[in-house]
Amino acid sequence: MIQRHLTPDATHTMTTALAESAVSTDPSAPGHPPGQAPDTVVRCVGLSKVFRDFWLRSRVTAVDQIDLDIHRGEVFGLLGPNGSGKSTTIKMILGLLHPTGGRIAVFGHHPQDVAIKNMIGYVPEESYLYQFLNARETLEYYAKLFHLPRAKRKVRIDQLLEYVGLDKVAGRPVGEYSKGMQRRIGLAQALINDPKLLILDEPTTGMDPLGTRQIKDLILDLKRKGKTILLCSHLLADVEDVTDRVAIMFGGAIRQSGPVRELLTKRETTTLATGSLDPQTIEEIEQVLARRGKHIERIDHPRQKLEELFLDIVNTAQQEGAATSGAGSGGKLAAFLSNEPDQPVETEGDAVLDELVNEQAAPEPEPVEPPAESAPPPPQADHVLDALTGSAPPPPPEPSAPKKPEPSAPAPTAPQTEDEQPDQSLLDDLTGGDGKKP
Amino acid sequence: MTKNPVTYFSVLAAAIVGGGALNLFLFAQGAVTAYILTGWALSLFVSAWVGLGLYQWREFTVVRRLAVIIIATVIASWAAQFCLTIGSVSAAIAVGGVYGMAVGFYLGLQLIRLLLSGGHPVFGVARTLIDEAIRMKAPLVFLVALMLFVPVLPFAMDSDETLKYRVQTFLSWSMIVVSLLLSLMTVFLAVGTITSEIGRRQIFLTMTKPVGRLHYLAGKFLGIAMLNVLLVAVCGGAIYVFTMMLSQQPARSAVDRRAVDEQILVARAGVSPIPPDQSNLAAQFNQRLTALRLADPSTYGNPGAPVEILDPKIVDQIQQQILAEWYSIGPRNANTFVFAGLEPAKRYDRYVQLRIQPKAGRSTEDDRVFLNLRVNDRPFPVPPLVEGTYHVIDIPTELIEDGRIQATFSNPVRPDTGQEQPTLTFNQKDGIEVLYRVGSFEGNLLRSLGILWLRLAFLTMLGLAAGTFLGFPVACLAVLLVYFAAAGSGYVAESLDQYSSFPKDTLPLWDRIIGVPAMIIEKVSEGEVWDGVKIIIRLVGTAFTAVIPEFGKYSTGDDLTHGRVIPLRLLGGAALWIGCVSTGVAGVIAYLIFRKRELARVII
């Protein structure tokens, strides 16, 4: 799919059915060079958990012989409805439950090995915090559990409080916090040790959209810094935005797993995004498609997501200095969350994408500038079509998209598979590459 | 207002010194109105200046702590002033006591926090537990009760009673209540901290950090143990201060005053009379047994039969009778009691105390008895004594010869009526003894508090052990059951002994083990099923008492209130058996259970 981003109100999206081509998948986790076996951070083999009743009779098979590998540097999503075994699996990985069958290795060790806990951060499904401690004391407590010296504790706690936006209310007991604020402090405690593996169990539960956005940004930031993240959620939209691979559980078993992009791609459909088109141009395009035996199934204007609208409003209010007794907007990622030099930041997916963009489309700048300030005046749809059909010179590279920029998110990293490339013959038709004009 | 500390304190010092000097000058000049006005102005300025200083540097922890103490001081001063205004001096003193305990506790708490500020998981867990104890309602109730009870108790005494009685009652009740409240608080805190963290799943976050299960338990134990050190110290300090304060109140008589000084606020060692030698006792036993056998051979056996055929209870009964007679003085008869090992007494005091409790074989008209006494063959005057009451006769240490005192009591006819008195006896246990000072009340109190802390340490570990696998109510009940059984271990053992028949303790262990089922079968086959069940109940009770520590052995309340020394070896024994063995066993059990526990387990 190629999207040529213009301003939101000048964009048309067309969906059409294309012939499905062969699928080429890359089973290795993003972030690892091809051919190099990725390091496995978590490995579960034939993992089972049966809960018993008081008389030790087997009652519920919460996890049923699952196999799972989570690789270093990837964001792995564990999905499933309530009671599907996600949290049980996580608790076994954390050593809070003992498997009744199978094996688990975390960083190559038994999950109850105390030493590996130094490398793990855990955000549980609810805020299991001491209500009588304030935010600073809470982080102080968890920092001590990691043997951190006093000076380092102070620096990290200050940075984390600022990051989660609780630095102004750090002296209030956690019991007085709203649920979302408690979730934020729960997140901060999971980062206090600069973990290599971050396990997030329903991390956005109780969070406002701002906090949810922050969690997603955090996940992407940490991934960029080489961390491994296991994300467990049933909020599929959140997971889709950030994960590299997912496993979908039901009834204690993994029903399907693989790279997100691969699982989600509808190979029988192609979407073209362009500037707003007039009916005549659409008709011409339809004629082109008709020659290929295709037809336009749907024409509409993309809408801004409610999340984007909400974030815009809140950001504006914060910039205006509106008062709030709740959590602040949060600061930048805590500096101590270190980058790992042995982990390549730019992935193979980045390179492939760059190559595709260079070869097949006009180069795009990094999508970092707000569109309202940096976007040039929208070109007329006719000009776009002219450019596509070769009747006019191609337009200059367009700036960023209407999509809400993710401040610290890297460029898309997954490799673009063959089926995701547009049908070249169709493009040739549109651009007149085959000598015909519509 | 300046933020420069040097300027700030310079202004403060100048105000105090300058204003004070001005005030003194005005006072010397007799300018009363000006003196009062400047005094008020100076007080207001200093108060405001200090308040502003505290406010502007409030972000500093030390300043916040200082502010808390200053505010507490001001409130306590107002309260005490109010009490004095309404004419209640005792209430003002009680307020002062509450304030002293509260500030002492607060300062101690800061010290503990400082000690636990290191970056180790055990310290982290311990420090959080301390915060839990002072911020959660349940433990706080006990803390407040402790701080109110001790300062108020001295003023609840009946002022018509003797001073000795009042001081002893205060000491006794304050130690009992402090021990009880601290024990209950310890049980609820130890059990509650584990069960609530598991129940509320806070433990998920802790145990997914690099914290071993042993570290977790050790941190919990350390936190409660340190809190108990502080509370025992604060309560002990308050008990000491109020005991001293109470003892300074007017006594009803000189004897009353001496009783307080020499029988309570001391640590005295006691020496019992040397018992008759075994050969003498054996001869008397054989003589008595022969007479009984001749009179009743069906019960005691034929003369010449071996003693072993007798029930041990009968043998013991005869022996006790002979000993009781040895402690008796018949009408117009005399008995000599020798006390040895008194040489150290000369080092501590000029007197030793001969403490006796004469009991009459039958009641006397006026409950009075008369005794004549000779000490090392020198006559020693003894006033008329009240029957069944303890009396102390001071004997100069110069009468001690070779570390011995020989006291000969005779039972004369009553000098007032000329009638013969009944046989007079002394209780074998403490009816007659010589006491002498070997230490101070302060040392005694310290050792008593030390033993109290060791008992609390055991309760802490027991509570943690119970909390690792039981719910809060069940665990509390189980720990309290053990606590009361341990406190009354002697009574429980005696009750079990009387409850049902059981193989004799004199039998070899194996025979006793075999003997139990044999006895049960025998009872059941004879149709006495309930007796068989009672044997099983006694077996369970015996096993239970065998594994719980014997707190009764280390009870110090009576010794403290009666000015008897609590020996260092008792403290050492408590440290070994309660502090190390019992607490260690409970700790091992707690760890073994907790190590295997699935913290996120769900029971369907």
Side-chain angles (χ1 to χ4, degrees):
Chain A
M1 183 175 73
I2 295 176
Q3 286 196 328
R4 189 166 293 276
H5 299 299
L6 301 176
T7 52
D9 57 350
T11 303
H12 252 128
T13 303
M14 295 184 295
T15 306
T16 182
L18 297 176
E20 188 170 345
S21 56
V23 177
S24 160
T25 60
D26 177 8
S28 67
H32 295 280
Q36 180 182 324
D39 296 334
T40 300
V41 173
V42 178
R43 168 161 288 173
C44 304
V45 180
L47 188 65
S48 298
K49 180 65 187 177
V50 178
F51 287 114
R52 303 177 192 281
D53 65 8
F54 182 79
W55 306 106
L56 301 180
R57 294 174 299 188
S58 300
R59 282 298 186 193
V60 174
T61 302
V63 176
D64 190 10
Q65 295 194 331
I66 65 168
D67 297 328
L68 195 67
D69 277 0
I70 301 173
H71 305 135
R72 189 183 300 276
E74 76 171 340
V75 179
F76 188 91
L78 198 55
L79 311 179
N82 293 333
S84 58
K86 308 183 300 290
S87 289
T88 302
T89 304
I90 280 184
K91 287 183 174 76
M92 285 192 282
I93 291 171
L94 288 164
L96 296 171
L97 283 173
H98 305 163
T100 43
R103 288 178 290 113
I104 308 175
V106 183
F107 292 106
H109 292 79
H110 191 278
Q112 284 191 310
D113 189 333
V114 172
I116 62 162
K117 307 289 174 69
N118 275 308
M119 298 182 279
I120 298 176
Y122 169 51
V123 179
E125 66 270 34
E126 286 179 39
S127 302
Y128 303 134
L129 301 168
Y130 296 102
Q131 305 291 299
F132 51 85
L133 297 179
N134 63 37
R136 184 173 290 281
E137 288 170 336
T138 299
L139 295 184
E140 178 83 17
Y141 168 61
Y142 292 113
K144 278 186 184 176
L145 301 185
F146 286 101
H147 301 254
L148 295 180
R150 183 195 291 261
K152 191 178 267 187
R153 288 203 302 263
K154 186 175 184 320
V155 170
R156 289 192 176 189
I157 289 168
D158 286 343
Q159 288 180 1
L160 282 173
L161 284 172
E162 187 185 356
Y163 172 63
V164 297
L166 294 175
D167 48 331
K168 300 290 191 297
V169 289
R172 278 169 55 188
V174 170
E176 294 178 7
Y177 281 3
S178 69
K179 189 174 181 182
M181 289 162 80
Q182 292 192 10
R183 299 292 292 160
R184 284 164 182 263
I185 203 71
L187 174 66
Q189 63 79 27
L191 299 173
I192 195 79
N193 59 320
D194 186 15
K196 288 182 167 50
L197 168 63
L198 183 63
I199 298 177
L200 305 167
D201 193 355
E202 309 286 0
T204 55
T205 306
M207 288 264 195
D208 57 20
L210 209 64
T212 304
R213 179 72 256 169
Q214 197 177 15
I215 292 273
K216 289 196 270 189
D217 287 344
L218 169 78
I219 291 171
L220 294 171
D221 277 342
L222 293 179
K223 170 183 158 51
R224 194 156 47 84
K225 290 174 182 294
K227 312 289 186 189
T228 307
I229 294 160
L230 170 55
L231 174 62
C232 170
S233 179
H234 52 231
L235 298 176
L236 305 180
D238 294 344
V239 178
E240 181 186 343
D241 287 349
V242 294
T243 50
D244 299 317
R245 288 196 304 139
V246 294
I248 299 170
M249 295 185 73
F250 186 84
I254 292 178
R255 301 288 164 173
Q256 195 164 8
S257 65
V260 177
R261 186 176 293 268
E262 179 188 330
L263 293 175
L264 298 183
T265 300
K266 294 169 72 174
R267 305 185 195 293
E268 69 281 6
T269 304
T270 297
T271 302
L272 293 172
T274 182
S276 187
L277 301 176
D278 56 35
Q280 186 186 350
T281 309
I282 292 172
E283 195 177 330
E284 289 175 11
I285 292 172
E286 197 156 28
Q287 287 170 3
V288 172
L289 291 172
R291 286 202 297 274
R292 306 290 299 185
K294 307 288 183 187
H295 64 279
I296 296 172
E297 291 180 343
R298 181 166 55 89
I299 300 173
D300 59 20
H301 290 281
R303 293 192 303 173
Q304 187 181 17
K305 282 185 178 178
L306 186 58
E307 180 191 11
E308 293 164 0
L309 177 66
F310 178 91
L311 292 174
D312 279 345
I313 293 169
V314 173
N315 284 335
T316 305
Q318 284 172 341
Q319 282 165 11
E320 290 169 356
T324 175
S325 62
S329 60
K332 61 180 182 180
L333 187 64
F336 72 86
L337 294 169
S338 62
N339 201 352
E340 292 190 344
D342 57 331
Q343 296 301 318
V345 173
E346 188 176 13
T347 62
E348 183 196 14
D350 293 327
V352 172
L353 191 63
D354 287 347
E355 191 179 344
L356 282 170
V357 171
N358 287 335
E359 280 184 3
Q360 298 178 7
E364 287 187 37
E366 285 295 317
V368 291
E369 294 297 325
E373 290 179 9
S374 60
Q380 293 297 317
D382 293 353
H383 297 163
V384 178
L385 192 65
D386 286 347
L388 283 168
T389 54
S391 58
E398 298 294 348
S400 183
K403 187 181 177 186
K404 177 73 185 168
E406 295 175 354
S408 51
T413 54
Q416 191 156 5
T417 53
E418 188 181 329
D419 61 299
E420 291 168 25
Q421 297 175 23
D423 186 332
Q424 189 59 48
S425 59
L426 177 60
L427 283 175
D428 288 346
D429 276 351
L430 289 168
T431 56
D434 60 355
K436 298 175 184 175
K437 289 186 180 180
Chain B
M1 190 67 191
T2 174
K3 288 208 170 185
N4 183 340
V6 177
T7 314
Y8 175 83
F9 284 107
S10 301
V11 171
L12 185 63
I16 292 171
V17 173
L22 176 64
N23 224 20
L24 281 175
F25 174 75
L26 292 171
F27 183 74
Q29 295 298 313
V32 178
T33 309
Y35 161 75
I36 292 172
L37 287 175
T38 52
W40 273 105
L42 179 64
S43 303
L44 282 173
F45 176 78
V46 170
S47 302
W49 191 252
V50 169
L52 285 170
L54 291 174
Y55 181 76
Q56 78 168 353
W57 286 307
R58 65 188 180 282
E59 70 270 21
F60 294 103
T61 308
V62 176
V63 174
R64 284 203 301 273
R65 306 268 186 269
L66 195 62
V68 169
I69 293 173
I70 289 173
I71 290 168
T73 307
V74 170
I75 292 173
S77 304
W78 287 344
Q81 189 67 41
F82 175 76
C83 294
L84 289 173
T85 307
I86 62 172
S88 178
V89 178
S90 52
I93 295 172
V95 167
V98 173
Y99 164 75
M101 288 184 75
V103 170
F105 178 73
Y106 185 75
L107 291 174
L109 209 57
Q110 304 316 317
L111 179 64
I112 288 178
R113 282 179 161 160
L114 188 68
L115 291 173
L116 295 176
S117 61
H120 193 279
V122 173
F123 292 167
V125 173
R127 164 99 186 240
T128 302
L129 186 131
I130 297 276
D131 289 336
E132 180 183 0
I134 59 171
R135 294 180 191 177
M136 299 301 280
K137 284 176 190 166
L140 202 58
V141 168
F142 288 99
L143 294 178
V144 172
L146 273 174
M147 294 193 188
L148 288 179
F149 177 80
V150 179
V152 168
L153 186 61
F155 307 103
M157 302 287 156
D158 185 355
S159 56
D160 292 337
E161 294 289 351
T162 61
L163 185 60
K164 178 187 174 187
Y165 175 82
R166 279 182 281 156
V167 173
Q168 276 186 327
T169 306
F170 169 71
L171 260 180
S172 173
W173 274 103
S174 58
M175 289 299 289
I176 288 171
V177 172
V178 165
S179 170
L180 188 67
L181 286 178
L182 283 180
S183 299
L184 290 176
M185 189 207 74
T186 300
V187 171
F188 292 145
L189 188 58
V191 172
T193 190
I194 295 254
T195 54
S196 72
E197 286 198 13
I198 293 174
R200 293 174 187 164
R201 303 182 180 185
Q202 291 150 337
I203 203 166
F204 286 11
L205 289 181
T206 301
M207 300 314 297
T208 49
K209 307 286 187 282
V211 182
R213 306 262 170 132
L214 188 60
H215 281 164
Y216 179 79
L217 287 175
K220 293 288 183 193
F221 179 78
L222 179 67
I224 301 178
M226 291 184 83
L227 186 67
N228 277 333
V229 166
L230 174 61
L231 287 171
V232 167
V234 169
C235 292
I239 289 172
Y240 177 72
V241 168
F242 281 101
T243 301
M244 291 296 122
M245 196 191 75
L246 204 57
S247 68
Q248 297 306 312
Q249 290 186 350
R252 292 182 65 183
S253 64
V255 173
D256 191 19
R257 166 62 56 199
R258 282 190 63 190
V260 171
D261 292 342
E262 297 176 6
Q263 295 171 35
I264 302 175
L265 302 180
V266 290
R268 300 173 298 167
V271 175
S272 293
I274 300 170
D277 62 58
Q278 289 300 313
S279 58
N280 191 9
L281 281 178
Q284 286 189 52
F285 176 80
N286 288 332
Q287 195 180 346
R288 182 69 53 86
L289 182 60
T290 303
L292 289 168
R293 280 176 166 174
L294 285 171
D296 185 5
S298 61
T299 305
Y300 299 101
N302 293 317
V307 177
E308 286 73 22
I309 66 164
L310 283 174
D311 188 329
K313 284 180 182 172
I314 293 176
V315 173
D316 185 58
Q317 198 177 356
I318 297 170
Q319 287 173 341
Q320 291 302 321
Q321 275 179 2
I322 293 169
L323 270 175
E325 286 168 12
W326 187 78
Y327 278 95
S328 302
I329 311 163
R332 300 174 189 271
N333 274 335
N335 202 349
T336 299
F337 302 93
V338 177
F339 302 89
L342 297 173
E343 202 59 42
K346 290 181 177 178
R347 291 205 303 267
Y348 292 100
D349 213 341
R350 289 172 49 223
Y351 293 92
V352 295
Q353 297 161 356
L354 179 60
R355 184 173 184 262
I356 55 172
Q357 184 197 28
K359 287 184 176 174
R362 57 181 164 77
S363 61
T364 56
E365 289 175 7
D366 56 0
D367 287 338
R368 291 201 303 170
V369 293
F370 295 84
L371 280 170
N372 290 338
L373 172 64
R374 294 180 71 83
V375 177
N376 287 356
D377 283 335
R378 295 183 199 177
F380 211 86
V382 178
L385 307 174
V386 179
E387 190 264 334
T389 303
Y390 285 102
H391 298 272
V392 173
I393 302 164
D394 287 333
I395 297 172
T397 49
E398 62 215 31
L399 290 182
I400 296 172
E401 293 173 1
D402 298 329
R404 296 162 75 95
I405 281 180
Q406 187 172 295
T408 303
F409 284 101
S410 56
N411 183 353
V413 293
R414 288 184 66 126
D416 51 349
T417 62
Q419 290 180 339
E420 198 173 77
Q421 296 188 113
T423 298
L424 302 176
T425 60
F426 300 115
N427 186 297
Q428 289 177 43
K429 191 183 167 195
D430 61 353
I432 178 167
E433 59 185 335
V434 168
L435 298 163
Y436 60 96
R437 185 194 295 262
V438 291
S440 64
F441 170 73
E442 290 81 359
N444 236 17
L445 182 61
L446 273 179
R447 287 187 288 275
S448 181
L449 295 173
I451 290 173
L452 170 61
W453 181 83
L454 287 167
R455 291 164 63 154
L456 295 174
F458 168 72
L459 280 182
T460 303
M461 195 48 93
L462 194 65
L464 293 175
T468 55
F469 68 103
L470 295 172
F472 180 76
V474 180
C476 284
L477 283 174
V479 177
L480 288 175
L481 175 69
V482 173
Y483 171 70
F484 287 117
S489 52
Y491 173 76
V492 171
E494 214 170 281
S495 302
L496 284 172
D497 201 35
Q498 302 292 326
Y499 185 67
S500 75
S501 53
F502 213 62
K504 295 171 188 169
D505 289 346
T506 50
L507 291 173
L509 178 65
W510 180 246
D511 288 349
R512 276 188 283 161
I513 293 170
I514 295 292
V516 173
M519 286 182 82
I520 295 170
I521 292 167
E522 184 187 335
K523 293 287 182 189
V524 172
S525 61
E526 288 172 359
E528 297 169 346
V529 179
W530 176 238
D531 285 346
V533 173
K534 284 169 78 174
I535 293 172
I536 295 171
I537 293 172
R538 178 169 172 181
L539 178 68
V540 173
T542 304
F544 178 65
T545 52
V547 295
I548 60 170
E550 294 180 75
F551 280 2
K553 273 188 182 175
Y554 305 101
S555 176
T556 59
D558 274 355
D559 289 342
L560 186 68
T561 52
H562 289 96
R564 286 171 175 275
V565 68
I566 297 164
L568 208 54
R569 68 173 179 280
L570 191 73
L571 179 62
L576 176 66
W577 291 108
I578 297 179
C580 294
V581 177
S582 300
T583 306
V585 168
V588 169
I589 291 170
Y591 175 64
L592 290 177
I593 296 171
F594 194 53
R595 190 169 62 109
K596 292 289 180 188
R597 167 140 194 193
E598 279 187 296
L599 296 171
R601 184 180 55 179
V602 177
I603 296 178
I604 307 299

